[in-house]
Amino acid sequence: MTVAVKEKSLAQPKKSFWKRFTRFIKKNPAGFIGIFLVSISVGCAIFAPWLTSFDPGKASLVSRLTPPSWSDPTGESTFFLGADQLGRDLFTRILYGARISLMVGFFGVLISLVIGTILGLVSGYFGKWLDDFIMRVADIQLAFPFILFAIVVMSILGTGIWKIIIILGITYWVGFARLIRGQVIALKEQEFIHAAKAIGGTNFTVIRKHILPNVLSSIFVLGTMYIAEFILLEASLTFLGLGVDPTIPSWGGMLADSRNYITTAWWTAVFPGVAVMFTVLGFNLLGDWLRDRFDPNMKM
């Protein structure tokens, strides 16, 4: 009898997990789809060497523009998603291209997040002339078109993935700064902030222990949405020839290379485009779910 009770109690957590999991899917279908799509993209980027046996840069003119294996009427194709104009395996290049897109998205957002959060905290907390100065710089930044700025900088400095990351990071801090500034202005008038100051807390301590933890959720939500935007911007710049080096597999580069073969080799344009679309969709859905999850106004 005792053994049966123990077995039942050990099996209960597993049942409870699946119950919570199915409830989460029913209540947040969009959030689940976003998490699923993002997980697929991240998994492809991390495990790319184990998911394919082809070299992303190895060309074979004999296999030039070979159709996907499942649509080849001759049955001779060994490429799951076909080959590009140089005979390189398209599936392999899409897997490795996920690394470039996610790298640009994550590190670009990280730079913007750090700069924008620091300036937003300083601007909102201290106010006065410091707030005016930071916000006027932000207004100037917003008034300057990003694409024009990126084209000018990349034309002068040349292409490169880290140059794209830095350009994105130093131009998109404004969104974080304005968001954090508004929340800090509201938070610093709360009673618990006045109480922290009354017991001798320094400005740095108040910001670090009492204000920053209360704005972290908004930072992560905006950061998630910015990752999707950065992926699109990287693909756009690379498509224009001002992004990642052509020798590195990237989704924007694959779309640029496929321009002359859309009518004769549709797979060279469709599958990289689908990869971009689903990855961006995943991060957007994830960002919407995080906003609904953490924003108290969305729960009312």
Side-chain angles (χ1 to χ4, degrees):
M1 184 69 178
T2 306
V3 175
V5 172
K6 288 184 177 180
E7 290 179 353
K8 184 177 180 181
S9 62
L10 290 174
Q12 188 64 29
K14 186 175 180 181
K15 182 179 179 181
S16 177
F17 167 77
W18 284 109
K19 188 175 181 180
R20 292 196 303 268
F21 181 69
T22 54
R23 186 188 301 118
F24 170 78
I25 296 176
K26 291 179 180 179
K27 292 181 63 177
N28 308 279
F32 172 75
I33 294 173
I35 294 173
F36 176 75
L37 293 176
V38 170
S39 300
I40 292 294
S41 299
V42 174
C44 288
I46 295 174
F47 300 106
W50 293 275
L51 294 175
T52 178
S53 58
F54 290 96
D55 185 341
K58 185 177 181 180
S60 175
L61 295 180
V62 177
S63 305
R64 183 174 180 269
L65 299 179
T66 301
S69 57
W70 42 268
S71 68
D72 184 11
T74 64
E76 298 177 355
S77 175
T78 58
F79 304 106
F80 177 63
L81 296 182
D84 62 7
Q85 74 281 1
L86 296 178
R88 298 170 296 190
D89 180 48
L90 200 62
F91 176 68
T92 301
R93 291 180 63 79
I94 289 175
L95 291 179
Y96 280 88
R99 292 183 167 187
I100 301 300
S101 295
L102 294 177
M103 184 177 178
V104 170
F106 284 122
F107 285 102
V109 165
L110 181 61
I111 295 174
S112 296
L113 185 152
V114 172
I115 297 174
T117 300
I118 293 174
L119 294 179
L121 290 171
V122 171
S123 176
Y125 186 80
F126 294 101
K128 298 181 181 179
W129 66 269
L130 194 56
D131 179 34
D132 292 337
F133 175 76
I134 294 175
M135 287 301 101
R136 295 302 76 76
V137 173
D139 291 338
I140 295 173
Q141 182 76 58
L142 288 173
F144 202 85
F146 167 77
I147 291 295
L148 178 60
F149 174 73
I151 289 175
V152 171
V153 174
M154 299 300 287
S155 299
I156 296 173
L157 300 180
T159 60
I161 182 172
W162 285 107
K163 294 174 185 176
I164 296 178
I165 291 174
I166 292 173
I167 290 173
L168 289 169
I170 63 177
T171 53
Y172 272 78
W173 62 269
V174 177
F176 289 101
R178 292 168 69 94
L179 173 66
I180 301 306
R181 171 185 175 269
Q183 293 192 341
V184 171
I185 290 176
L187 282 171
K188 71 178 184 180
E189 300 301 329
Q190 299 293 322
E191 292 183 359
F192 70 94
I193 299 296
H194 292 299
K197 292 180 180 179
I199 62 176
T202 63
N203 291 329
F204 177 75
T205 302
V206 171
I207 292 175
R208 180 173 61 88
K209 290 187 176 182
H210 302 285
I211 292 182
L212 183 58
N214 284 283
V215 300
L216 281 178
S217 60
S218 300
I219 293 174
F220 290 137
V221 171
L222 184 61
T224 303
M225 294 183 173
Y226 268 5
I227 290 176
E229 187 169 354
F230 283 13
I231 290 173
L232 284 177
L233 290 171
E234 179 274 322
S236 301
L237 289 174
T238 305
F239 183 85
L240 295 174
L242 298 170
V244 179
D245 190 277
T247 59
I248 301 175
S250 66
W251 294 340
M254 284 184 272
L255 290 172
D257 294 338
S258 66
R259 284 177 295 183
N260 299 325
Y261 307 99
I262 294 179
T263 57
T264 57
W266 55 268
W267 55 89
T268 60
V270 170
F271 294 123
V274 169
V276 174
M277 180 187 72
F278 279 117
T279 302
V280 171
L281 176 63
F283 278 105
N284 282 331
L285 291 176
L286 178 60
D288 288 340
W289 173 70
L290 290 175
R291 181 196 60 196
D292 296 342
R293 175 70 176 80
F294 293 111
D295 188 353
N297 294 324
M298 302 296 295
K299 299 178 182 180
M300 296 177 61

